[in-house]
Amino acid sequence: PAGVARLLPPVMGTVLELAREGACLLRTYVSGDTMPIAELRQVAQRYPDLDVMVVHLGGTKVFGLVTVTMTGEQGAELTDLLRPSRAVPVHRDDYTVMTSGLEDYLAAARQRGVVDRVLSVQRGQEVDLPTRLRG
């Protein structure tokens, strides 16, 4: 948000590709503390076949007023926009300033019809992410 941009570090999302011998095995989008902005449509356009999205949530509020991390609703909106095969919600209840937890995201994902893409992972839990060969 513009009002607090000077007080906070810059944030960005990243697309990571795991490749072997020129073939993409896994394409992952890591949202970081990105907020919903129009430029995220470019991710959907450039990478319409994301395997995994690690979506940072929490609805963190600075000064109790300004939201600086995505809420559950915003995360579900991003899941709907990017349509990854799997969405892994993280960073959702790490601090007391977080106001929107996993249940908010799941409810919003259900409402948008993308809850079947969500892979909830508990702290310390390991999950296998399926790789695939692409030309």
Side-chain angles (χ1 to χ4, degrees):
V4 294
R6 287 181 261 152
L7 302 174
L8 298 173
V11 297
M12 62 176 219
T14 304
V15 175
L16 303 169
E17 290 183 347
L18 173 64
R20 181 177 297 140
E21 299 174 7
C24 182
L25 302 175
L26 183 69
R27 182 172 287 144
T28 303
Y29 174 72
V30 180
S31 73
D33 286 337
T34 301
M35 291 297 290
I37 55 174
E39 288 84 350
L40 289 174
R41 284 182 173 59
Q42 293 175 24
V43 176
Q45 292 165 354
R46 291 176 65 188
Y47 304 101
D49 58 347
L50 290 170
D51 299 305
V52 177
M53 175 175 70
V54 179
V55 58
H56 290 69
L57 301 170
T60 306
K61 290 197 180 266
V62 174
F63 310 119
L65 302 170
V66 181
T67 304
V68 295
T69 63
M70 283 188 279
T71 63
E73 173 59 38
Q74 291 167 329
E77 180 181 348
L78 184 60
T79 304
D80 195 18
L81 173 68
L82 299 184
R83 295 280 175 172
S85 295
R86 289 284 173 258
V88 181
V90 298
H91 194 254
R92 54 190 192 246
D93 59 0
D94 298 328
Y95 306 103
T96 57
V97 291
M98 292 182 158
T99 63
S100 182
L102 178 62
E103 290 307 316
D104 292 343
Y105 174 68
L106 293 174
R110 262 186 229 98
Q111 188 173 30
R112 289 181 169 273
V114 295
V115 75
D116 60 320
R117 297 171 186 267
V118 177
L119 178 61
S120 293
V121 180
Q122 301 305 313
R123 283 184 179 78
Q125 181 184 2
E126 294 181 14
V127 294
D128 291 325
L129 298 176
T131 60
R132 59 187 170 112
L133 290 175
R134 270 192 270 252

